Amino acid sequence: MKILLFLLTLVSFQAFAQMPKEIASELVILNVKTGKEKVILKENRHFEAPNWSRDGKFLIINAAGLLEKINLKGKKFRQNQSRWH
């Protein structure tokens, strides 16, 4: 079991080492009725895992393990200082 855990840890560190240093991320909203896409945020950094707020008024993204609240026009509200565990 210890060997498997070590190998999984090693693979995850290697995956981060292979990430390109110059990377761009986009936050895109898709209207499923019309098929129209709207890019609301594009930055030269890695962010991921967008989620809608319960009321549909903003999105939350994960960037470097921190949560960021983004309005529907692409402006950042604030950054949550807690990290994912």
Side-chain angles (χ1 to χ4, degrees), residues 15-81:
F16 283 116
Q18 295 175 3
M19 186 179 293
K21 293 187 187 231
E22 294 183 22
I23 190 166
S25 298
E26 290 184 340
L27 185 55
V28 180
I29 296 177
L30 170 68
N31 182 321
V32 294
K33 290 182 181 178
T34 65
K36 186 175 179 180
E37 295 181 354
K38 180 180 179 184
V39 177
I40 63 166
L41 180 65
K42 183 174 182 178
E43 294 186 342
N44 291 325
R45 65 183 180 128
H46 176 76
F47 59 81
E48 62 189 9
N51 284 283
W52 285 98
S53 64
R54 288 185 180 177
D55 61 8
K57 294 183 179 179
F58 62 90
L59 294 145
I60 296 175
I61 60 172
N62 176 6
L66 297 175
L67 299 179
E68 296 181 20
K69 186 175 172 182
I70 310 294
N71 75 13
L72 300 183
K73 294 183 180 181
K75 296 224 179 217
K76 297 175 198 168
F77 287 109
R78 64 175 180 247
Q79 190 173 24
N80 186 343
Q81 296 302 316

